[in-house]
Amino acid sequence: ISENLARETCIATMDAGSPVVLEVHKLSNGQRYAETISFLELKCPHEILLNEGRRNSQLCQKIQELFGNLDNNDKRNDSDSDNDDNDMQVLKTPKSRPSSRPDLTGACIMKTVVKFVPRSYFDQNKGADILRRVAREGAYDASIVEEYILLSSSHAILQYLQICLYLLY
């Protein structure tokens, strides 16, 4: 999720199991981030990537309110991993709505992981380069390449997939 000073957010989504479609959504928000929060409720994501410099932002607080408080038993610290997972928070899905993804016991419990990734992941110039390189001709509107938040969030998700999940583009 990327955000600008006008409280516009951009949410880039991709299914890591089948990373062939990158969806980019630009949302206009008021002070309560209603559009972004509603979108996250609808999508029910497994992971949310946020800029590490925005840890104490109002948007981050709203996301934590949506998915519940941090459960200390769920805090993951994997010292054997090459990736720095110490900045990962596991948040439960909202109690007001069931998850559509049942676990092995049949219970509808899903957890959303909020990860704070380096600011360098949100690079608009590299995002434009990657989109030009991987997108099919005519598959996207040319005005996308002029929007900072669209490019930065696109680069963040693609960079995360390359570094953390070893997917190459």
Side-chain angles (χ1 to χ4, degrees), residues 4-40:
N4 65 16
L5 295 176
R7 293 190 187 261
E8 292 176 323
T9 56
C10 180
I11 300 176
T13 63
M14 182 176 272
D15 181 1
S18 178
V20 294
V21 176
L22 172 66
E23 294 179 18
V24 183
H25 305 271
K26 182 179 173 185
L27 307 167
S28 296
N29 294 287
Q31 290 186 340
R32 295 190 178 142
Y33 293 97
E35 293 288 328
T36 300
I37 298 303
S38 295
F39 186 83
L40 290 173

Side-chain angles (χ1 to χ4, degrees), residues 135-147:
R136 288 187 309 228
E137 189 76 27
Y140 65 93
D141 185 3
S143 66
I144 289 176
V145 184
E146 299 171 8
E147 292 275 350

Side-chain angles (χ1 to χ4, degrees), residues 3 16 23 25 32 38-40 43 56 59 65 70 78 83-86 102 104 113 117 119 122 125-126 138 144 158:
E3 177 185 16
E23 294 179 18
H25 305 271
R32 295 190 178 142
S38 295
F39 186 83
L40 290 173
K43 279 298 204 183
N56 298 320
L59 177 59
E65 287 173 15
L70 178 64
D78 187 5
N83 301 325
D84 184 14
D85 287 339
N86 293 333
L104 294 176
V113 177
V117 296
R119 187 175 188 272
F122 294 88
N125 296 327
K126 290 180 183 177
I144 289 176
L158 293 172

